[in-house]
Amino acid sequence: MASIRFLGHSAFELDINKKKILIDPFITGNPQAVCKPRDLSPDYIVVTHGHSDHLGDAIDIAIKNKATIIAPFELAMYCGNKGAKTHAMHIGGSYPFDFGVIKFTNALHGSTIIQEENFIPAGNPVGVLIEASGKTIYHAGDTGLFGDMELIGDRYNIDLALLPIGGNFTMDIEDASYATKLLKPKVVIPMHYNTFPVIEADPNEFAARISSSIRVVILNPGEEFEF
Ligand code: NI
Ligand code: MN
């Protein structure tokens, strides 16, 4: 058994193989946040790209818990320079951690870290595949729809896909439902919507577009799903 808790926006806490893996822990400044960064005690933190709504509190939480940040190379270097323990990877490479295997995928997006007037390049944005405890989880990060989602769906039997549906910065409902068709997951959970007015979307409208062979699970921030 594994469980995943939605922390709002694109942030999730995955509990698998007795390890806690945070993904894109945007807590401070997240209007949907249901906890404080100090409430989280992960073993690993996966960060898909450098935007503040994904990098979020990753560095502080990592330092406090001696957790390892798993991120694309340039972003991992940035986090390492800030004092976090890191494991750098890149698109297409996989690595067997003590809880399971992680592989980064393509994502159509940006990754620059923006701090007031400073723009710090953080390499490519990624999606992440996690294979652990007999389950395969795909967190798409921020991305537009792309054809290689079909390749990912053919290459992996995805148990759980976490897909952005909010539009403007990422796929909208229509594109995310098309992505679901390409990825063929058993379960899909929508994310990256309703955090801000510009990404308002109705997850029930997304669910209505998904074929009945795929289960749509809509989580409110703080809710958890076992699989
Ligand atoms: Ni982004
Ligand atoms: Mn985002």
Side-chain angles (χ1 to χ4, degrees):
M1 276 303 253
S3 71
I4 194 157
R5 183 159 67 112
F6 185 41
L7 302 175
H9 202 55
S10 292
F12 290 88
E13 183 185 56
L14 175 66
D15 207 318
I16 203 159
N17 268 347
K18 300 189 174 73
K19 298 286 177 188
K20 279 190 180 150
I21 300 129
L22 272 184
I23 307 172
D24 285 356
F26 167 47
I27 310 297
T28 304
N30 179 352
Q32 295 186 328
V34 289
C35 65
K36 294 272 185 267
R38 64 167 180 271
D39 302 329
L40 300 167
S41 51
D43 300 289
Y44 295 90
I45 306 173
V46 177
V47 185
T48 61
H49 63 290
H51 292 162
S52 58
D53 59 322
H54 297 261
L55 179 57
D57 301 287
I59 294 169
D60 289 346
I61 297 172
I63 291 171
K64 187 169 167 268
N65 293 282
K66 297 185 174 62
T68 301
I69 292 181
I70 304 168
F73 180 78
E74 294 82 353
L75 181 54
M77 290 300 119
Y78 173 84
C79 296
N81 286 337
K82 299 281 180 195
K85 192 161 76 167
T86 62
H87 182 110
M89 298 182 68
H90 229 305
I91 295 167
S94 60
Y95 186 82
F97 293 89
D98 57 2
F99 62 87
V101 176
I102 286 215
K103 180 188 269 189
F104 284 156
T105 72
N106 209 2
L108 291 183
H109 197 64
S111 185
T112 304
I113 297 166
I114 298 164
Q115 292 169 340
E116 289 160 18
E117 295 99 81
N118 299 319
F119 285 57
I120 303 162
N124 288 299
V126 301
V128 60
L129 283 157
I130 302 169
E131 291 180 283
S133 205
K135 308 282 183 190
T136 302
I137 300 124
Y138 171 58
H139 184 297
D142 275 359
T143 187
L145 177 63
F146 57 91
D148 279 352
M149 286 179 176
E150 185 175 17
L151 176 67
I152 296 170
D154 286 345
R155 173 79 176 77
Y156 291 91
N157 280 321
I158 299 172
D159 292 284
L160 176 61
L162 311 167
L163 302 182
I165 67 161
N168 194 70
F169 301 110
T170 68
M171 300 190 283
D172 59 12
I173 282 171
E174 278 185 52
D175 281 351
S177 62
Y178 199 96
T180 306
K181 215 185 307 179
L182 299 180
L183 291 162
K184 307 184 288 278
K186 289 191 185 71
V187 177
V188 61
I189 296 179
M191 64 177 183
H192 211 272
Y193 65 95
N194 290 352
T195 324
F196 311 108
V198 77
I199 57 169
E200 261 171 31
D202 180 356
N204 293 302
E205 206 180 299
F206 168 71
R209 287 174 175 270
I210 303 301
S211 116
S212 58
S213 59
I214 295 170
R215 181 172 170 205
V216 182
V217 174
I218 297 168
L219 294 179
N220 293 312
E223 286 182 347
E224 165 173 320
F225 173 67
E226 287 197 349
F227 61 105

